[in-house]
Amino acid sequence: MDKTIIIVDDHKLFAQSLQILVNSFEGFKVIDCFKNGEELVKYIEDGNPLPDIILLDMRMPVMDGMDTMAWLKENKPDQKVLTLTVDQEDETIIKMLRLGCRGYLLKDIEPEEFEYALNAIERNGYYSNQTISDALSHEERKKKYEELTERELEFLNHACSELTYKQVAEEMFLSPKTVDNYRESLFGKLGVKSRVGLVMFAIKEGIYKI
């Protein structure tokens, strides 16, 4: 049986094209499209069946992606959501991950990687890019976790919050330079290149609970 998909995106032409693309993937079928989160919420509250995966845009009128994800976390926390957007700000991505989003893609993604992401979410429960996935194999993750100091773990938890690095420094009673050193040290130890990579590691290892 095909895995069901709902698209939430206010750009009608893009949503229609996305529907055609998804339906061309083996094992996936779009069952509905909505222009914003409010329409999705109404659909769910009316008792309609939940899809296997929701494809969620960020910038929408009435109820945007962030508000929609917050509602889903509160009311349907097990719902799998893949964000598909043009918004690539680290802060936005981190907030969406903290709200339980299972993956985050930009709209200029290649169709092959998009299909891979859908299958990864359905199979593993989440999607991260290949570099992060390779770096965080089970044995490597266990070893890297054991190597982290208490202060590095403290910094990692703060990195999963909405605090800026400057605010993290204040929370930890450290200079911004010292916090930068913690960040670069963790990048090296965990094999990641961004704050998003740190958050993905923390979520997968249960260091940070969403």
Side-chain angles (χ1 to χ4, degrees):
M1 181 179 294
D2 290 342
K3 299 301 180 181
T4 55
I5 304 290
I6 282 180
I7 297 170
V8 186
D9 194 300
D10 64 316
H11 292 93
K12 188 173 182 179
L13 183 60
F14 177 81
Q16 289 176 342
S17 299
L18 184 60
Q19 180 174 356
I20 294 171
L21 178 61
V22 171
N23 286 339
S24 75
F25 296 154
E26 183 178 354
F28 293 96
K29 180 181 179 180
V30 176
I31 59 172
D32 224 325
C33 296
F34 300 111
K35 297 191 297 292
N36 55 62
E38 186 176 80
E39 291 186 1
L40 174 68
V41 169
K42 185 179 185 305
Y43 169 89
I44 295 174
E45 289 183 335
D46 284 346
N48 292 295
L50 293 172
D52 291 295
I53 301 174
I54 293 173
L55 298 178
L56 182 64
D57 189 20
M58 287 299 300
R59 302 177 184 178
M60 298 178 292
V62 185
M63 189 174 184
D64 65 13
M66 191 75 70
D67 289 340
T68 303
M69 196 68 236
W71 186 91
L72 288 169
K73 181 180 181 181
E74 179 70 22
N75 296 277
K76 301 292 178 181
D78 295 328
Q79 175 63 56
K80 296 175 182 176
V81 178
L82 173 61
T83 301
L84 192 60
T85 183
V86 297
D87 193 335
Q88 53 187 319
E89 293 295 323
D90 277 357
E91 291 79 6
T92 299
I93 299 172
I94 291 169
K95 287 178 182 178
M96 290 296 283
L97 292 174
R98 291 177 66 242
L99 289 171
C101 182
R102 306 301 183 92
Y104 199 102
L105 290 176
L106 299 180
K107 286 185 174 180
D108 63 355
I109 195 73
E110 293 292 335
E112 294 79 11
E113 187 169 354
F114 177 42
E115 183 177 13
Y116 176 86
L118 289 175
N119 279 292
I121 288 175
E122 182 54 36
R123 182 174 60 251
N124 303 322
Y126 62 87
Y127 167 77
S128 59
N129 65 39
Q130 195 61 50
T131 300
I132 294 176
S133 296
D134 289 344
L136 301 180
S137 67
H138 179 71
E139 291 301 321
E140 289 175 329
R141 289 202 308 268
K142 182 179 179 181
K143 181 179 178 181
K144 290 168 182 175
Y145 177 81
E146 291 172 347
E147 290 175 349
L148 300 183
T149 67
E150 288 188 11
R151 289 293 268 174
E152 285 174 334
L153 288 171
E154 181 182 357
F155 168 79
L156 189 53
N157 269 287
H158 284 308
C160 294
S161 72
E162 299 178 19
L163 298 176
T164 65
Y165 283 128
K166 181 179 179 181
Q167 290 170 327
V168 170
E170 294 172 354
E171 285 289 322
M172 296 181 68
F173 301 101
L174 298 172
S175 69
K177 178 63 176 176
T178 302
V179 163
D180 286 345
N181 290 338
Y182 275 122
R183 181 190 63 210
E184 295 302 321
S185 174
L186 285 174
F187 282 177
K189 285 186 177 182
L190 305 181
V192 300
K193 299 180 180 179
S194 68
R195 187 169 182 175
V196 173
L198 293 178
V199 174
M200 291 297 292
F201 175 85
I203 290 173
K204 290 175 191 176
E205 285 302 308
I207 299 169
Y208 181 82
K209 303 293 185 181
I210 59 175

